[in-house]
């Protein structure tokens, strides 16, 4: 049985956080109802997929698992800081949204891990022989 490579998960988390954290901060600063919030949401989703891809490439034997863990752990780490900050300010926390977004983040990581796995499979496949001749060709 292959063990989880936590270094691979960590690499994916770093990649995801480097993009997702600034995008999330900017999204929090925008006025409610602006169209840029959706664009930043897509940036965050892309960052989680990229983090899952990096984790999957770094740990190809469990690419989907590494991707899933990178996506989920990135979200939970960022969310933990956000919850503490909101509670310290006296703001409310939407507890019901946390499990939903955690699942979404995990799914993004799985997608990234899947893409890494597929890329690795394509690169390891032998190229088709285009110079083969049929029987009887001279």
């Amino acid at each position: 049985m292959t063990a989880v490579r936590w270094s691979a998960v960590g690499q994916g988390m770093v990649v995801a956080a480097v993009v997702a954290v600034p995008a999330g901060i900017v999204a929090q600063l925008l006025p409610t109802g602006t169209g840029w919030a959706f664009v930043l949401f897509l940036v965050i989703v892309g960052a989680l997929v990229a983090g899952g891809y990096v984790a999957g490439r770094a740990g190809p034997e469990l690419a989907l698992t590494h991707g899933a863990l990178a996506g989920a752990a990135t979200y939970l780490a960022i969310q933990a800081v956000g919850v503490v900050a909101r509670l310290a300010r006296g703001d409310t926390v939407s507890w019901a949204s946390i499990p939903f977004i955690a699942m979404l983040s995990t799914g993004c990581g799985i997608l990234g891990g899947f893409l890494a796995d597929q890329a690795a499979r394509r690169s390891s496949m032998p190229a088709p022989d285009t110079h083969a001749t049929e029987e009887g060709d001279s």
Side-chain angles (χ1 to χ4, degrees):
M1 183 169 186
T2 305
V4 171
R5 288 165 118 186
W6 293 106
S7 61
V9 174
Q11 289 174 25
M13 287 178 66
V14 168
V15 168
V18 163
V19 177
V21 169
I25 290 170
V26 170
Q28 292 295 315
L29 298 174
L30 292 174
T32 305
T34 180
W36 285 104
F38 182 69
V39 172
L40 291 169
F41 170 75
L42 293 178
V43 169
I44 293 168
V45 165
L48 292 166
V49 172
Y53 182 86
V54 168
R57 291 290 280 195
E61 62 283 348
L62 293 173
L64 275 66
T65 300
H66 289 122
L69 289 170
T74 301
Y75 171 73
L76 293 174
I78 294 169
Q79 189 61 33
V81 172
V83 166
V84 169
R86 276 186 232 119
L87 291 174
R89 287 191 312 258
D91 294 343
T92 60
V93 175
S94 175
W95 297 105
S97 68
I98 292 174
F100 173 75
I101 299 173
M103 286 188 290
L104 176 66
S105 300
T106 303
C108 290
I110 290 171
L111 175 59
F114 174 76
L115 294 173
D117 182 63
Q118 293 303 302
R121 288 174 190 260
R122 276 192 302 275
S123 68
S124 68
M125 292 176 64
D129 186 9
T130 58
H131 300 292
T133 60
E134 291 184 28
E135 206 172 312
D137 286 349
S138 298

